[in-house]
């Protein structure tokens, strides 16, 4: 069943914010030269932290796995170039907390020599999907749209959830960001090849590629690539430009008319959604046998001299990325990783490039002003009008502020995608999303605590039970011993006792006899 | 280079509370001009007394509550409350009653509950009701509209009456005041007059009280401006007017001689003002989209019930306060369906 008339559906709410994409759209500033030292965080994805597979002083080749994951949800990390491992140390990483995290430090030797790679699989159509998933997992591919969720996990939808539609996300709805746009314009073939592979892996019937209508060049390039590929079941769909069109759930709704269930995942409704850059990375992994070592990143904003897009190896310091784009202008006021709606600010540029980093926004003071002082909520309901998850942000705010976590869950806090639309329109300038993040973190912490308490209780109960059992066993053993002893004495004592009595009586009788004999003698 | 850090999103729609309240005040201008035209200078004097009192009262209580004074005053919400109350008051109300009403609105109804955003009741309407039940006589002494007014008062005369209670030569309250159309309608109907008899009266215009019937249009202009500027949403005004027209329509069709027409109800009293400016106060209204429709509709129906069978000629203030009480419950039962709601769960 092919989706009829995709693009006629709509999602609730959303906002129009000046997209400022023209600053960097279509501009490719080239591939950034490899730095001398690369800093590779062990956690560049959603899921468990990768564990180092190398030690200090070890020589590594380009493409060699230097950290791998043992958990299901996780991704390995590869050496982006050949060189020597300097060590594994805590370093600043791009994270909203600004805290340090373990990183592998790699000194490049300048040879950029590839190590041994798995064989290319151009005949993938004859291979089993699980083999291809394994290859994608090996390549360390995660969602390159920004969320960095391990792609192989997403593709493993399970036999009970057949996939009908593969949605390819080329919406790129966040203002300023243009790296997906550039990729679609310049490397549409690579994306379409990835789509072919993905269609085979998830065994989907059709593929819908959603692109916002503010990217006509990308739409044209993708349409041409699809036409040349002669894929009948792949369709490029122009969607309206409205933030957050590129939200997974929103795009799926607009393209297929289906809503991803609350607290659910797209596979439950037979859909898998993959970003265009991720699809291109899949092509490299399968066709060329190459892991994910670099990505396209947009460097833009009033604060950068020469805005554009660069290909950057993971582990490269952001300061080098900025320098390559002409350096800061006098207007640079904030350094934002990601877009202006969902990104986060960095205190400085001394952090490395990671897999999820799609944009580096050097915002001017007018583009990203300091937040105004928040006024009380007047319940005007503007946030309700724009919420794409159809929540009641004003009520959620009320309960999050009061730390009434049960109520926030009742009001579907966990369906909030943190898109920021509510904060954007709020006339009282309340940092609403911040309250929701707070409530979510608190809930997780509480759940963890509850789990730990539950665990402790179970352990305590097990211990009590064990002690009781031991005690009973000890008592039982004791009783057995006693009984055995009693029985033994009872059985063995029959003769000796009698004998003792008889002996005593004998002795008494003898004594008496002796005495009477002595009396007679006197 | 070091950069400041805070959470996303970065940037804001250029909008704020001051701007919203400012637009409400702007939208009130046509209606106020109409009121001054029909009822004279008293309207302006009342507005001035009310604004002065409101600003002073808010500044004072903010000082007591140790809150920033100027930034809070700048949100203009106190001014909006003052103006809404002032235009609902009779034009020659003694000054101290206006002052009392505003003090009650700002101090008791607004700030004792926590200030802007936390008050469960509409301050202007609560103050109006306080004055109405405390001073029923003064609160029902309205002037006749301009075309029926035999003794138009100039600015100084209005000022003297409001502040000194002294009338120009030979004039008394009875000479210069007149009942409102709603009052008139009520009294006449109680005297078992029919509506066709009643409409012979010189007080009667095309479908409502002469002069009065056109004031609503001027407030309507302001209301449409607010809708256009997206300061208010359509839900409450439309539902409230629908609630009134529907109930009035049903009874009017049953007995057009004893029951005034829906148009009379719509353009009498505070209906249009209430629908666009008072019931739409977001703080005290229902906040869900469906809830707002229910909230507005019930206000409309309640207005009709009180006007027809209750003890007071107009009822917008009572109806709004009653529904203020119901708003949290309405909100609770009208949560919108969340994106991807599961049928088994979110039913």
């Amino acid at each position: 069943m092919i989706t009829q008339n995709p693009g006629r559906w709509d999602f609730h709410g959303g906002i129009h914010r000046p997209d400022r994409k023209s600053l960097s759209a279509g501009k490719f500033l080239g591939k950034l030269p490899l730095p001398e030292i690369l800093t590779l965080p062990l956690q560049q994805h959603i899921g468990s932290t990768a564990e180092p597979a190398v030690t200090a002083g070890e020589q590594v080749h380009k493409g060699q796995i230097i950290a791998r994951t043992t958990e299901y949800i996780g991704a390995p990390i590869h050496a982006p170039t050949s060189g020597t491992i300097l060590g594994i140390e805590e370093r600043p990483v791009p994270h909203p907390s600004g805290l340090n995290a373990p990183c592998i430090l790699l000194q490049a030797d300048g040879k950029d020599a590839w190590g041994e790679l798995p064989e290319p699989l151009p005949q993938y159509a004859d291979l089993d999907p699980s083999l291809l998933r394994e290859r994608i997992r090996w390549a360390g591919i995660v969602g390159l749209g920004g969320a960095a969720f391990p792609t192989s996990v997403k593709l493993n939808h399970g036999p009970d959830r057949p996939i009908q539609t593969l949605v390819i996300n080329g919406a790129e709805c966040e203002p300023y960001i243009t790296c997906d746009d550039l990729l679609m314009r310049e490397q549409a073939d690579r994306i379409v090849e990835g789509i072919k592979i993905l269609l085979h892996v998830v065994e989907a019937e059709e593929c819908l590629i959603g692109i916002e209508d503010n990217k006509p060049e990308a739409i044209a390039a993708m349409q041409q690539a699809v036409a040349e590929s002669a894929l009948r079941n792949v369709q490029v769909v122009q969607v309206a430009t409205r933030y957050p069109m590129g939200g997974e759930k929103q795009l799926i709704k607009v393209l297929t008319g289906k809503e991803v269930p609350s607290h659910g995942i797209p596979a439950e409704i037979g859909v898998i959604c993959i970003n265009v850059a991720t699809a291109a990375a899949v092509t490299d992994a399968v066709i060329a046998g190459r892991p994910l070592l670099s990505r396209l990143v947009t460097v833009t904003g009033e604060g950068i001299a020469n805005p554009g897009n660069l290909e950057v190896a993971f582990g490269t310091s952001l300061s080098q990325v900025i320098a390559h784009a002409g350096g800061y202008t006098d207007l640079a006021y904030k350094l934002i990783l990601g877009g202006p709606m969902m990104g986060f600010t960095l205190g400085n540029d001394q952090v490395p490039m990671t897999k999820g980093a799609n944009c580096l926004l050097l915002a001017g003071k007018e583009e990203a002003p300091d937040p105004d002082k928040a006024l009380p909520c007047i319940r005007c309901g503007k946030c309700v009008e724009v919420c794409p998850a159809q929540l009641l942000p004003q009520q959620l705010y009320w309960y999050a502020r009061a730390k009434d976590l049960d109520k926030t869950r009742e009001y579907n806090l966990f369906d909030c995608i943190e898109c920021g639309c509510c904060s954007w329109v709020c006339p009282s300038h309340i940092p609403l999303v911040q309250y929701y993040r707070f409530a979510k973190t608190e809930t997780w912490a509480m759940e963890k605590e509850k789990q730990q308490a539950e665990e402790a209780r179970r352990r305590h109960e097990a211990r009590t039970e064990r002690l009781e059992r031991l005690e009973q066993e000890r008592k039982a053993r004791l009783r057995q011993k006693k009984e055995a002893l009693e029985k033994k004495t009872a059985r063995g004592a029959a003769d000796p006792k009698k004998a003792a009595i008889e002996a005593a009586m004998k002795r008494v009788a003898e004594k008496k006899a002796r005495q009477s004999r002595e009396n007679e003698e006197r | 280079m070091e950069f400041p850090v805070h959470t996303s999103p970065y940037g804001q729609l250029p909008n704020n509370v001051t701007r919203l309240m400012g637009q409400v005040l702007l939208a009130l201008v046509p209606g106020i001009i109409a009121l001054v035209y029909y009822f004279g200078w008293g309207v302006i004097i009342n507005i001035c007394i009310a604004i002065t009192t409101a600003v002073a009262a808010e500044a004072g209580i903010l000082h007591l509550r140790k809150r920033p004074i100027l930034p809070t005053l700048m949100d203009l919400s106190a001014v909006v409350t003052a103006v809404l109350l002032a235009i609902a008051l009779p034009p020659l109300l003694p000054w101290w009653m206006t002052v009392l009403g505003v003090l009650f609105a700002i101090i008791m109804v607004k700030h004792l509950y926590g200030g802007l955003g936390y008050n469960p009741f509409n301050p202007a309407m609560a103050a109006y009701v306080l004055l109405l039940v405390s001073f029923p006589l003064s609160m029902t002494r309205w002037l006749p509209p301009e075309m029926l007014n035999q003794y138009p008062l100039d600015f100084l005369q209005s000022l003297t009456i409001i502040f000194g209670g002294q009338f120009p030569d030979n004039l008394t309250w009875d000479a210069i005041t007149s009942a409102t159309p709603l009052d008139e309608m009520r009294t006449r109907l109680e005297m078992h007059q029919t509506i066709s008899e009643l409409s012979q009266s010189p007080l009667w215009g095309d479908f409502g009280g002469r002069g009065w019937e056109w004031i609503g249009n001027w407030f309507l202009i302001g209301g449409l401006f607010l809708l256009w500027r997206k300061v208010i949403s359509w839900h409450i005004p439309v539902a409230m007017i629908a609630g009134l027209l529907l109930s009035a329509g049903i009874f009017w069709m049953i007995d057009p001689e004893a029951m005034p027409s829906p148009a009379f109800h719509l353009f009498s009293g505070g209906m249009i003002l209430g629908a666009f400016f008072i019931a739409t106060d977001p703080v005290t209204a229902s906040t869900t989209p469906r809830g707002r429709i229910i909230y507005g509709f019930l206000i409309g129906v309640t207005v009709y019930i009180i006007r027809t069978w209750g003890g007071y000629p107009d009822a917008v203030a009572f109806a709004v306060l009653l529904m203020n009480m119901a708003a949290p419950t309405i909100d609770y039962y009208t949560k919108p369906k969340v994106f991807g709601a599961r049928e088994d769960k979110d039913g």
Side-chain angles (χ1 to χ4, degrees):
Chain A
M1 190 183 69
I2 299 295
T3 303
Q4 292 297 307
N5 196 5
R8 77 187 153 101
W9 295 282
D10 204 0
F11 69 91
H12 175 266
I15 59 160
H16 295 277
R17 173 176 176 161
D19 68 15
R20 307 295 310 270
K21 286 186 192 271
S22 59
L23 281 173
S24 60
K27 278 200 238 168
F28 183 52
L29 305 178
K31 193 171 166 153
L32 190 70
L34 282 164
E36 277 174 30
I37 295 178
L38 294 95
T39 311
L40 295 145
L42 293 173
Q43 177 92 61
Q44 300 191 27
H45 48 261
I46 291 180
S48 69
T49 307
E51 284 162 25
V54 290
T55 49
E58 201 174 322
Q59 295 288 321
V60 293
H61 291 290
K62 182 178 187 178
Q64 182 181 334
I65 287 186
I66 54 172
R68 54 167 57 94
T69 175
T70 47
E71 305 278 321
Y72 175 54
I73 300 180
I77 291 159
H78 302 73
T81 183
S82 58
T84 317
I85 302 294
L86 294 177
I88 298 151
E89 291 171 17
E90 297 265 322
R91 286 297 156 99
V93 293
H95 189 269
S97 69
L99 295 174
N100 292 358
C103 299
I104 296 178
L105 303 183
L106 171 64
Q107 168 124 45
D109 58 12
K111 293 182 201 142
D112 204 25
W114 282 97
E116 207 179 309
L117 292 174
E119 60 161 335
L121 304 171
Q123 76 295 6
Y124 61 84
D126 306 327
L127 299 174
D128 190 71
S130 66
L131 208 72
L132 297 169
R133 269 200 300 272
E134 205 40 58
R135 169 60 61 88
I136 290 165
R137 184 172 171 83
W138 163 83
I141 297 173
V142 299
L144 297 179
F149 185 81
T151 304
S152 61
V153 178
K154 209 176 203 183
L155 296 176
N156 194 10
H157 51 91
D160 51 332
R161 287 173 181 161
I163 298 302
Q164 185 207 327
T165 311
L166 171 68
V167 166
I168 295 295
N169 191 343
E172 200 167 56
C173 61
E174 271 249 18
Y176 292 93
I177 309 178
T178 59
C179 56
D180 285 351
D181 181 16
L182 186 77
L183 188 77
M184 288 188 284
R185 291 190 201 190
E186 311 271 317
Q187 304 184 25
D189 293 338
R190 203 168 137 231
I191 299 169
V192 172
E193 189 63 43
I195 290 171
K196 276 194 211 167
I197 301 169
L198 290 168
L199 278 172
H200 175 63
V201 172
V202 301
E203 293 164 322
E205 291 162 32
E206 58 164 353
C207 170
L208 299 170
I209 308 167
I211 307 172
E212 277 192 349
D213 57 13
N214 61 356
K215 292 180 264 298
E217 294 91 346
I219 294 171
M222 288 298 290
Q223 265 167 343
Q224 201 192 336
V226 169
E228 283 167 6
S229 75
L231 287 166
R232 289 280 171 78
N233 54 347
V234 180
Q235 207 179 338
V236 177
V237 184
Q238 175 176 316
V239 295
T241 300
R242 188 163 100 244
Y243 179 83
M245 179 62 79
E248 186 173 72
K249 293 179 172 187
Q250 282 65 40
L251 189 63
I252 289 173
K253 173 84 189 284
V254 169
L255 293 182
T256 69
K258 295 180 195 167
E259 287 190 6
V260 178
S262 167
H263 307 291
I265 58 167
E268 288 175 39
I269 51 166
V271 179
I272 277 182
C273 180
I274 300 281
N275 168 271
V276 283
T278 315
V282 167
T283 307
D284 297 351
V286 174
I287 305 292
R290 290 190 177 177
L292 182 66
L293 303 179
S294 65
R295 67 163 297 154
L296 270 180
V297 58
T298 304
V299 188
T300 186
E302 285 177 346
I304 194 91
N306 186 17
N309 294 279
L310 290 137
E311 194 183 334
V312 183
F314 304 129
T316 309
S317 169
L318 295 186
S319 59
Q320 278 160 304
V321 179
I322 289 160
H324 198 77
Y328 297 111
T329 68
D330 296 340
L331 290 171
Y333 182 63
K334 260 177 202 152
L335 175 58
I336 298 166
L337 193 67
M341 295 303 291
M342 289 187 74
F344 54 89
T345 42
L346 295 172
N348 62 60
D349 57 15
Q350 299 302 313
V351 292
M353 179 72 194
T354 55
K355 292 178 182 176
N358 54 359
C359 177
L360 204 53
L361 171 57
L362 270 303
K365 198 157 190 170
E366 278 179 25
E367 294 176 303
D370 285 330
D372 284 314
K373 202 177 158 345
L375 291 176
C377 169
I378 55 168
R379 293 154 55 84
C380 65
K382 294 261 178 265
C383 46
V384 183
E385 284 166 30
V386 298
C387 180
Q390 289 151 252
L391 303 171
L392 291 174
Q394 79 279 44
Q395 304 291 76
L396 272 175
Y397 160 70
W398 184 269
Y399 293 120
R401 220 173 105 99
K403 288 198 191 177
D404 190 343
L405 298 177
D406 289 343
K407 272 283 187 194
T408 60
R409 289 181 89 166
E410 191 184 310
Y411 280 80
N412 299 303
L413 172 71
F414 284 90
D415 282 311
C416 168
I417 58 170
E418 299 177 24
C419 65
C421 289
C422 49
S423 307
W424 168 259
V425 297
C426 179
S428 291
H429 302 170
I430 302 169
L432 292 160
V433 181
Q434 202 178 324
Y435 280 94
Y436 309 148
R437 289 193 189 116
F438 162 79
K440 284 183 186 176
T441 329
E442 285 284 292
T443 310
W444 286 324
M446 230 172 64
E447 243 155 49
K448 208 170 171 188
E449 216 168 89
K450 218 162 107 185
Q451 249 172 26
Q452 280 169 349
E454 184 71 13
E455 183 81 357
R457 194 181 58 81
R458 258 206 316 274
R459 263 196 240 126
H460 174 74
E461 276 173 5
R463 180 171 181 269
T464 328
E465 206 179 302
R466 182 166 48 88
L467 289 182
E468 238 165 59
R469 202 185 58 230
L470 285 179
E471 177 69 16
Q472 261 162 16
E473 278 174 8
R474 197 180 61 85
K475 274 188 185 152
R477 261 202 315 273
L478 218 65
R479 210 168 41 240
Q480 269 176 8
K481 230 179 186 170
K482 209 171 149 195
E483 275 171 12
L485 202 70
E486 274 171 6
K487 243 189 225 162
K488 207 171 153 196
T489 16
R491 208 176 336 110
D495 294 332
K497 234 179 188 171
K498 239 185 204 166
I501 296 168
E502 276 169 15
M505 282 171 66
K506 222 177 177 174
R507 270 200 307 276
V508 172
E510 272 174 19
K511 208 179 173 183
K512 269 187 182 163
R514 206 169 45 235
Q515 273 171 355
S516 55
R517 223 177 16 245
E518 276 169 15
N519 289 345
E520 279 164 27
E521 280 172 16
R522 270 174 215 156
Chain B
M1 200 161 166
E2 290 294 313
F3 298 97
V5 174
H6 69 91
T7 60
S8 63
Y10 306 100
Q12 272 255 308
L13 196 68
N15 191 17
N16 56 48
V17 177
T18 309
R19 203 162 134 146
L20 289 180
M21 297 291 174
Q23 290 185 72
V24 173
L25 290 173
L26 193 66
L28 281 167
V29 169
I32 292 174
I33 291 175
L35 281 177
V36 175
Y37 171 77
Y38 287 115
F39 299 108
W41 291 105
V43 178
I44 289 286
I45 297 170
N46 280 350
I47 291 175
C48 292
I49 298 172
I51 291 179
T52 316
T53 316
V55 170
E58 179 139 294
I61 194 126
L62 285 169
H63 176 71
L64 287 178
R65 293 181 62 203
K66 300 189 176 63
R67 297 292 160 101
I69 294 175
L70 255 181
T72 311
L73 280 177
M74 281 308 292
D75 68 27
L76 295 181
S77 61
V79 178
V80 170
T81 299
V83 175
L84 287 178
L85 175 61
I87 57 179
L89 298 174
L92 294 181
L93 193 73
W95 66 273
W96 59 269
M97 289 188 194
T98 309
V99 169
L100 185 74
V102 173
L103 288 179
F104 180 73
I106 299 293
I107 297 173
M108 311 288 281
V109 188
K110 186 179 174 191
H111 276 283
L112 289 192
Y113 283 97
L116 179 68
Y118 297 100
N119 48 305
F121 295 104
N122 185 312
M125 288 304 100
Y128 179 85
V129 165
L130 173 87
L131 294 177
L132 185 63
V133 294
S134 310
F135 314 106
L137 188 63
S138 303
M139 283 294 283
T140 44
R141 273 180 182 152
W142 270 84
L143 298 184
E146 179 264 345
M147 59 280 283
L148 299 170
N149 196 342
Q150 294 165 1
Y151 310 102
L153 301 165
D154 62 22
F155 180 72
L156 217 61
Q157 288 168 328
S158 307
L159 207 63
T160 325
I161 296 175
I162 291 173
F163 280 94
Q166 282 149 15
F167 290 86
D169 318 319
N170 310 327
L171 288 182
T172 60
W173 273 119
D174 287 344
I176 57 169
T177 60
S178 125
T180 68
L182 279 170
D183 237 342
E184 185 72 10
M185 173 69 76
R186 187 181 185 81
T187 332
R188 299 285 190 96
L189 285 177
E190 273 169 11
M191 289 153 68
H192 299 292
Q193 290 191 354
T194 63
I195 291 193
S196 28
E197 282 168 4
L198 205 145
S199 51
Q200 304 300 319
S201 141
L203 291 175
W204 192 265
D206 292 322
F207 52 82
R210 208 154 165 207
W212 289 86
E213 61 196 4
W214 302 116
I215 292 171
N217 288 341
W218 295 98
F219 282 116
L220 187 63
I221 291 172
L224 295 177
F225 168 77
L226 291 184
L227 278 176
W228 172 58
R229 299 300 305 159
K230 295 204 171 123
V231 174
I232 60 173
S233 67
W234 60 269
H235 304 81
I236 294 177
V238 169
M240 180 166 156
I241 290 170
L244 180 86
L245 291 185
L246 199 73
S247 8
I250 291 170
F251 286 95
W252 179 63
M253 283 199 287
I254 294 172
D255 187 355
E257 280 304 324
M259 294 295 183
S261 74
F264 170 82
H265 272 292
L266 181 58
F267 287 96
S268 295
M271 191 56 199
I272 300 283
L273 175 70
F276 287 92
F277 291 89
I278 289 167
T280 50
D281 165 32
V283 175
T284 55
S286 176
T287 180
T288 66
R290 256 192 316 148
R292 284 180 171 173
I293 291 178
I294 296 172
Y295 173 84
F297 188 83
L298 289 178
I299 292 181
V301 173
T302 316
V303 166
Y304 184 78
I305 292 173
I306 300 180
R307 275 183 185 178
T308 311
W309 298 287
Y312 289 89
D314 200 2
V316 172
F318 289 109
V320 166
L321 290 181
L322 281 170
M323 287 309 134
N324 284 169
M325 280 183 226
T329 314
I330 296 174
D331 283 348
Y332 183 81
Y333 286 105
T334 53
K335 277 182 253 172
K337 206 172 73 106
V338 68
F339 184 99
R342 293 170 195 262
E343 275 169 24
D344 49 2
K345 204 188 116 207
D346 208 73

